[in-house]
Amino acid sequence: MHVQEWLETVPAVSIYALVALVIGLESLGIPLPGEIILVSAALLASQHGDINPVVLGVCATAGAIVGDSIGYAIGRKGGRPMLAWLGAKFPRHFSEGHVATAERSFEKWGMWAVFFGRFIALLRIFAGPLAGVLHMPYWKFLIANVLGGALWAGGTTAVIYYVGVVAESWLKRFSWLGLVLALLIGLVSMLVVKRKAKKMTAEPEPVPVAE
């Protein structure tokens, strides 16, 4: 069976559930490729009318917000011992260097680290648990979590979806080339943001989070 024909057989509800689940688990602190899953699903929606991009964006947003909130609760209860445990289980993602970098960002930028961290792979995993560990006031965390989650999930879905639609309209005979082009655009934009984030987190003199 042709790949595109196979994709058309996948129920839309399965795509929605997968996106919400993976993004939710990533947001609560489990290193999963949430952004890749979301980009892939948005591209798939641009090629197949059965997948509603609005519903997809809502599911991704819900997964991001709920996952981050659960991560915050776990971090607040588990504290630093939980970070040490995660470091033992996932040394590649929760090494002492990564934890120190994320913590410095939170101490310097407070709730803005939660908001902008949604767009950065490393901080996206740390945001919820670390905000809880540092006892960031929940109302600040919730505002940043909701706004960041909605903008990241909804914005990513919309941009990738429309890029996929435009690419498909211009490259009808090479639809997968259109998908690859859209994916490359998304990856380049993520790399640019990640580079800027590294410069931001490298700045000295952190300021403690205000209670």
Side-chain angles (χ1 to χ4, degrees):
M1 183 181 294
H2 193 277
V3 174
Q4 287 187 343
E5 294 177 352
W6 177 81
L7 288 174
E8 290 176 352
T9 67
V10 178
V13 66
S14 299
I15 302 298
Y16 303 146
L18 177 64
V19 168
L21 178 62
V22 173
I23 291 177
L25 291 175
E26 181 192 39
S27 298
L28 67 82
I30 299 177
L32 293 174
E35 194 160 41
I36 294 176
I37 293 295
L38 179 57
V39 168
S40 300
L43 287 173
L44 184 59
S46 71
Q47 305 300 306
H48 304 291
D50 291 340
I51 301 176
N52 189 317
V54 175
V55 176
L56 179 64
V58 170
C59 290
T61 300
I65 294 172
V66 173
D68 245 15
S69 297
I70 295 174
Y72 175 91
I74 294 174
R76 184 132 189 161
K77 184 176 181 180
R80 294 189 179 278
M82 184 203 67
L83 293 180
W85 179 84
L86 288 173
K89 294 292 183 180
F90 306 102
R92 181 180 177 183
H93 297 86
F94 289 89
S95 65
E96 291 184 4
H98 285 169
V99 171
T101 298
E103 187 171 356
R104 184 166 64 248
S105 300
F106 270 72
E107 291 178 341
K108 182 174 181 62
W109 301 101
M111 64 186 293
W112 290 109
V114 178
F115 179 83
F116 288 110
R118 177 57 63 182
F119 300 86
I120 306 165
L122 177 62
L123 290 182
R124 187 162 57 249
I125 297 173
F126 278 106
L130 192 56
V133 170
L134 297 178
H135 286 194
M136 175 181 291
Y138 183 69
W139 68 269
K140 288 186 176 182
F141 170 80
L142 183 61
I143 292 175
N145 178 28
V146 172
L147 294 179
L151 183 61
W152 172 74
T156 299
T157 301
V159 170
I160 298 301
Y161 173 79
Y162 285 111
V163 167
V165 170
V166 171
E168 176 67 8
S169 67
W170 281 91
L171 302 166
K172 289 182 179 180
R173 293 188 177 182
F174 306 96
S175 58
W176 284 108
L177 180 59
L179 294 179
V180 171
L181 177 62
L183 182 58
L184 287 176
I185 293 174
L187 289 175
V188 170
S189 65
M190 286 186 287
L191 288 175
V192 171
V193 173
K194 185 176 181 180
R195 184 177 179 181
K196 291 183 178 180
K198 285 184 178 180
K199 292 182 179 180
M200 180 188 75
T201 55
E203 295 181 11
E205 302 298 329
V207 178
V209 177
E211 296 289 341

